[in-house]
């Protein structure tokens, strides 16, 4: 590829050169399945339309907003089964169940955002960053995220029934923060076991 900005292949877009891709920032540095470059730089990629991507250097606020959008989309869409389960869940304290769910969901989004942006380091691993969006990791996310939420909301509901809503919410917060923080380590182990 050249460093020309002339339109390439008749699509009206500039040729995709190293400069257009952000100077070689790649999500593939570090352990397989992990986006370490997002944790070590302010470069973020965006999807413009079907098949079109671009990227740019962002300020701290731009990085946080891009990462919140990415993690909220991941967690929100993949935990729809639990959200659909909530109205029919057999519990004594339905209000506590909802509060535990919303606290757990928001905690997962916040911790995932902090991990992806490199603001905090994941425990039990030397590499920073969040997990890439690979097909095998989508299935892992689906099982893991829904499992986190089920433990957080049912445990939080039980704790709330025994000791009060505040304790149930605290349970939900601690479980979801800990499990989300450990997700990059789970990804490393998953990739090592599957040989990817």
């Amino acid at each position: 590829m050249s460093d020309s900005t002339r339109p390439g292949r008749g699509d009206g877009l500039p040729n995709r050169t190293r400069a257009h891709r952000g100077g070689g920032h790649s999500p593939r540095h570090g352990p397989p399945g992990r986006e370490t470059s997002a944790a070590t730089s302010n470069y973020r990629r965006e999807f413009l339309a079907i098949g079109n991507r671009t990227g740019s250097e962002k300020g701290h606020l731009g990085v946080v907003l891009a990462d919140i959008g990415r993690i909220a989309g991941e967690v929100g869409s993949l935990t729809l089964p639990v959200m659909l389960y909530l109205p029919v869940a057999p519990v004594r304290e339905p209000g506590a169940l909802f509060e535990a769910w919303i606290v757990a969901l928001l905690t997962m989004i916040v911790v995932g955002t902090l991990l992806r942006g490199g603001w905090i380091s994941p425990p039990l691993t030397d590499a920073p960053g969040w997990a890439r969006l690979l097909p095998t990791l989508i299935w892992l996310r689906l099982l893991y995220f829904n499992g986190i939420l089920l433990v957080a909301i049912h445990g939080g509901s039980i704790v709330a029934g025994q000791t009060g809503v505040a304790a149930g919410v605290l349970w939900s917060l601690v479980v979801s923060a800990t499990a989300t923080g450990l997700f990059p380590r789970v990804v490393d182990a998953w990739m090592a076991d599957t040989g990817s």
Side-chain angles (χ1 to χ4, degrees):
M1 285 189 199
S2 69
D3 286 332
S4 167
T5 57
R6 290 180 297 142
R9 296 189 180 159
D11 59 5
L13 299 172
N15 286 335
R16 298 194 184 261
T17 64
R18 186 175 184 88
H20 291 103
R21 290 190 316 261
H25 296 286
S26 171
R28 292 170 182 86
H29 297 295
R34 295 273 298 283
E35 289 180 324
T36 57
S37 66
T40 58
S41 76
N42 288 349
Y43 180 80
R44 294 294 184 268
R45 297 175 71 94
E46 295 104 15
F47 292 97
L48 298 176
I50 297 173
N52 293 330
R53 290 189 288 180
T54 187
S56 63
E57 292 286 331
K58 297 190 177 293
H60 292 300
L61 181 59
V63 166
V64 170
L65 292 175
D67 291 346
I68 285 174
R70 159 76 187 276
I71 300 299
E74 253 180 64
V75 172
S77 63
L78 293 173
T79 58
L80 284 174
V82 171
M83 187 171 61
L84 296 173
Y85 164 75
L86 283 176
V88 296
V91 293
R92 287 188 237 165
E93 297 281 336
L97 186 74
F98 176 77
E99 289 170 357
W101 169 73
I102 197 73
V103 166
L105 188 68
L106 292 175
T107 302
M108 290 172 67
I109 291 169
V110 168
V111 172
T113 299
L114 294 174
L115 286 168
R116 184 166 196 264
W119 302 99
I120 60 174
S121 296
L124 306 177
T125 180
D126 294 331
W130 189 245
R132 291 180 55 211
L133 287 172
L134 299 173
T136 58
L137 294 180
I138 298 294
W139 287 107
L140 177 64
R141 280 177 170 89
L142 186 68
L143 296 172
Y144 192 83
F145 292 169
N146 285 296
I148 291 172
L149 281 180
L150 288 174
V151 170
I153 64 177
H154 280 295
S157 178
I158 291 168
V159 170
Q162 300 293 322
T163 59
V165 175
V169 166
L170 182 62
W171 164 272
S172 180
L173 184 119
V174 169
V175 166
S176 59
T178 303
T180 305
L182 291 172
F183 183 64
R185 178 65 187 117
V186 171
V187 167
D188 291 348
W190 175 271
M191 295 301 280
D193 286 346
T194 59
S196 299

